[in-house]
Structure formats: structure tokens, C-alpha cells
Amino acid sequence: MLPAALELGVTIEARRGDTIRLTSRERPGDVNVAADGSPVGAAPSGWGRYVAAVAVELDALGRPPVGLDGEVSSTLPIGTGLSSSAALEVAVAVALAAVSEWEVQPLELAQAAQRAELRAVGVPCGIMDQAASLLGRAGHLLLLDTRLLEYEHVPFPERLALVIVDSAVSRRLEHSAYGERRAELETALTALDGRPLDDADPDALALDPVQARRLRHVVTDHARVRETVALLRDPTDASLARLGDVFRAGQQSLRDDLDVTVPEMDLLVDLAYEHGALAARMTGGGFGGSIVALAAADEAQRVAAATRAAYEERTGRRAASVVSRPAAGAGEVP
């Protein structure tokens, strides 16, 4: 996997407290739970479920029972495929570790945040979003092996920018087929019997047609990630042109083999190419949300605006966009 942290995020301004009390500028309702995540009065709802779940997971790891009192603010839109729930989980985890002066390794914290998502809303998410939120490095992508939990940072060419365009098709993973796709993938992966993805041939395995398509996506996307890394490490004009083909193949696989796109997102990818993106594909868990495109840095704002305008003309949906460079991951601000 090859995610990146963005120049957007969740900020928590807080001090030590007896319980965990948080308000939010963007999300309705307040949160008040015990330092270990247990309810104080009524069980938490809404975004409070994530806060409580993170606290429970950290308590299980031995975090001292210190509360915090503060406010959450965010520049990250919710429900657009940009990992807003993971960002909240990670921000809460970092804040709780800071106020209790408790040290924990970043990947261990990412795993705790991953478990918190399942605990909070029942979404069996992977660890990519939480890991990117914690391990991001400015000017770099994160090459992450989610099976071995190994990673390295890949320089992102200065001549490029990330263009994220929201389809205005909102989704919540707990109300989508995300869990079903995850289960199908896990079943299909058992057919490998521990063999690496590099050696897998889905068409040669005893799988039903659906499982074969799901596994084909994983195998081919693994190869596309490796090729993307090689192309970015040698960012010639020819390499950047090849990225467009690689990303197009990824979008087609997401649509045909994994079956997680929606027509609006397929259209948005096509429009991004039409208006000058070097590469584009869906990002996030699917079933709505955003696409990510690569564009020349000096053309990125124009590509974003032209893609948004064309999309609104075709669909009547008003898309939002963000132009960013890969940014540093979460941390305590002095």
C-alpha cells in the first residue's frame, strides 16, 4: 500500500483532566467518558464512540488512567474517503498518550486505533489509514506492508502535487458493503496458503468467480504499487506518463474485480484525466468519497477547478477539492 498523510487533519487542544471531556467545532454533541473509556452516564454516541473506543484500547495496553479536557477541530471533511475517522482516532490516541506521559511505539498505537474502529462502529478496517496518519513524513509517501507491518518512506517528486476531488457521494463504511468485501478478500487470501502475492495466480486456484476477482485485485494492485514506487523514484517524463496507465488499471480493477466504485467516481476519474491529471483513481474504502490524482504542481489548482466544474455540469453535484503535498503524520505540538 502507498498512502500519504495530507496537509489536512484533526487537532485536539487539551489539558489533563479527571475524565475525557471533549467538544468539537465541526461535530455535534460533547463527549464525556472515564479515563479508561467506560461511560460516564449515558453511553457515548456519534463521534464519541471513537473517543471511548480508543481510550478502552489504550487502557488495555497499560496507559495510566489520566483524562483530558479540550476541544477538537478539523480541516478534514467527513465521509469523503479521506480517513476522517482514522484521523480522529489517531489524534485522540496521541493526545491521551501525551497527557499521561505514556510512551508507545507508533505502529502499536496505529493497531490500537485500528481495533478502536471495529469496537466503535463494527468496521473491520485495515491498518493503512491509521499507519499513514502516524507515520507520514513530509514530502514522502508511505510504502506499507500490512501483513508484515514493515514500511519505508518513498520520496514524492517536487514537480508533482496531490489533487483530491470529492464526488459528493457521501458514504459511511459501516452502512456499505465494505465489511462484505473485506470478508471476501480474507477468504480468497486463504487460498494462497501463506505464499507471497508475487507468486499468486488467481486463475490457477480453486476459487469461485467472485473470490477469484477479489484476489485478482489484491495481486494486481500489489504489482501496481511496486511499479508506482519504481516510477516515482525515477520521475522522468516517460515514468510520469506511465503512471497514468498504472492508475487507470487500478481504477478498472477497483470497479470490475473489487466492485467498490460507483458511477460518479468512475466519471470523476475520467474527467480528471480529460482536464490534465497525469494519473487518477479512487481513494478510500469505496462506495462514494473521493478520487486522488497526480498533477504537475504548477497545474494542480487548474486541474482541480476544471475537473470540479465538468463534474458539476455532468451530474449536478457540487464537488470539493484539495491540493496538497504529502505531510508529516500526527504528533504533539509544543
Side-chain angles (χ1 to χ4, degrees):
M1 294 184 173
L2 196 63
L6 298 177
E7 296 167 330
L8 302 171
V10 174
T11 300
I12 299 179
E13 298 182 41
R15 58 185 179 275
R16 291 168 64 103
D18 295 326
T19 63
I20 300 171
R21 297 174 59 90
L22 290 171
T23 61
S24 172
R25 299 178 188 177
E26 293 81 21
R27 302 169 187 254
D30 298 342
V31 177
N32 185 18
V33 296
D36 63 0
S38 58
V40 174
S45 60
W47 62 282
R49 294 174 296 170
Y50 296 99
V51 176
V54 169
V56 169
E57 293 295 338
L58 297 190
D59 180 71
L61 292 177
R63 186 187 79 90
V66 178
L68 60 80
D69 192 347
E71 182 181 61
V72 180
S73 60
S74 176
T75 56
L76 196 61
I78 299 170
T80 60
L82 296 182
S83 309
S84 59
S85 61
L88 175 63
E89 293 152 10
V90 166
V92 170
V94 170
L96 288 174
V99 295
S100 58
E101 299 180 351
W102 179 63
E103 294 188 6
V104 59
Q105 293 299 312
L107 272 175
E108 190 173 9
L109 205 61
Q111 289 176 295
Q114 176 194 15
R115 293 192 298 271
E117 181 112 7
L118 179 61
R119 178 183 292 273
V121 293
V123 173
C125 68
I127 198 173
M128 182 187 75
D129 295 344
Q130 291 83 359
S133 296
L134 277 161
L135 299 171
R137 177 184 293 178
H140 291 73
L141 305 179
L142 180 71
L143 179 59
L144 176 68
D145 185 326
T146 57
R147 300 180 78 179
L148 300 177
L149 291 183
E150 296 176 347
Y151 66 92
E152 62 179 294
H153 292 98
V154 178
F156 187 71
E158 290 288 342
R159 62 192 291 195
L160 297 182
L162 300 169
V163 178
I164 294 86
V165 186
D166 174 25
S167 67
V169 178
S170 184
R171 95 284 182 268
R172 296 176 63 185
L173 290 184
E174 68 265 35
H175 297 151
S176 73
Y178 176 87
E180 179 183 339
R181 293 293 179 278
R182 179 72 184 264
E184 291 167 348
L185 282 170
E186 289 177 348
T187 299
L189 285 168
T190 61
L192 297 180
D193 196 26
R195 284 172 292 171
L197 292 174
D198 293 5
D199 299 334
D201 180 1
D203 296 323
L205 298 172
L207 297 169
D208 67 38
V210 171
Q211 291 175 344
R213 286 193 290 119
R214 305 301 187 241
L215 185 58
R216 186 181 304 114
H217 170 75
V218 173
V219 170
T220 57
D221 224 40
H222 176 70
R224 282 186 289 271
V225 167
R226 289 185 294 128
E227 183 174 4
T228 297
V229 169
L231 292 169
L232 290 173
R233 283 178 168 155
D234 180 31
T236 63
D237 289 346
S239 295
L240 298 183
R242 172 61 186 157
L243 278 175
D245 297 331
V246 175
F247 274 50
R248 276 192 185 276
Q251 180 69 17
Q252 291 166 359
S253 180
L254 288 162
R255 181 192 65 205
D256 300 333
D257 287 339
L258 195 56
D259 192 23
V260 295
T261 72
V262 294
E264 291 88 348
M265 297 189 76
D266 296 325
L267 171 63
L268 199 49
V269 166
D270 289 339
L271 292 174
Y273 278 108
E274 287 179 20
H275 292 282
L278 299 172
R281 60 176 282 173
M282 183 200 89
T283 188
F287 309 102
S290 299
I291 69 163
V292 60
L294 304 183
D298 57 359
E299 284 282 293
Q301 293 290 353
R302 183 199 61 78
V303 170
T307 302
R308 290 197 321 265
Y311 181 71
E312 184 174 354
E313 182 179 356
R314 292 281 294 273
T315 66
R317 293 178 179 271
R318 180 162 295 183
S321 64
V322 173
V323 174
S324 180
R325 290 274 304 168
E332 186 178 356
V333 178

